[in-house]
Amino acid sequence: MADRDNMPEGYYSITPYFTVVGADRLIEFLIAAFDASVIKDSRYDDGRVQHARLRIGNSIMMLNESSDNYSANTSQMHLYVDDTDQTFELALKLGATTLMEPNDRPHGDRMAGIKDLCGNVWWIATHGS
């Protein structure tokens, strides 16, 4: 297992990596819905995303555009936000689809589920609300 000295500043042992059809569309969605910021954006000569890194809250995720060598996949993430209801409504306005309406869960979080424009599932939650 790598220790902290072997990782870049701000990274953790596990970093999600998405390969999608429509990487630019997903990046735009993540910025608008989850206040993501792009920290790296490498492109192929034709402008497609070769490798991007985004920060959402205190976490980093990576993504790229699918190709013949890298098949698209779908992922499932759990994301803590300041306001589940507000984030849920914003995501829907941006084109996400509903998987689970916001509700108070037995474990103490207020949670909702959405599917983004590339088919990834996001469980958004506010702890102890």
Side-chain angles (χ1 to χ4, degrees):
M1 172 87 62
D3 66 29
R4 296 295 303 162
D5 293 336
N6 297 325
M7 290 178 262
E9 177 86 25
Y11 286 74
Y12 297 95
S13 297
I14 295 176
T15 301
Y17 202 117
F18 292 54
T19 299
V20 300
V21 174
D24 281 313
R25 185 174 56 173
L26 180 58
I27 290 169
E28 291 170 10
F29 174 82
L30 297 171
I31 290 169
F34 304 142
D35 198 28
S37 58
V38 177
I39 57 176
K40 182 176 184 67
D41 186 356
S42 299
R43 304 246 170 195
Y44 293 108
D45 290 339
D46 65 4
R48 291 178 306 119
V49 176
Q50 179 184 29
H51 179 81
R53 295 180 191 181
L54 291 89
R55 180 178 305 281
I56 301 174
N58 64 0
S59 299
I60 293 179
M61 64 172 288
M62 299 178 186
L63 65 90
N64 70 310
E65 183 73 34
S66 65
S67 67
D68 290 341
N69 295 327
Y70 303 102
S71 300
N73 60 47
T74 54
S75 298
Q76 187 168 187
M77 295 284 113
H78 187 279
L79 174 66
Y80 281 105
V81 298
D82 290 333
D83 186 322
T84 296
D85 295 77
Q86 181 181 24
T87 302
F88 175 79
E89 290 301 325
L90 177 58
L92 295 182
K93 288 178 186 172
L94 294 167
T97 57
T98 303
L99 296 176
M100 182 176 75
E101 297 279 336
N103 67 91
D104 296 325
R105 307 301 296 167
H107 51 75
D109 289 351
R110 181 149 181 87
M111 244 176 111
I114 60 162
K115 188 178 284 191
D116 70 28
L117 307 169
C118 294
N120 301 294
V121 172
W122 295 86
W123 300 105
I124 52 179
T126 305
H127 182 64
S129 48

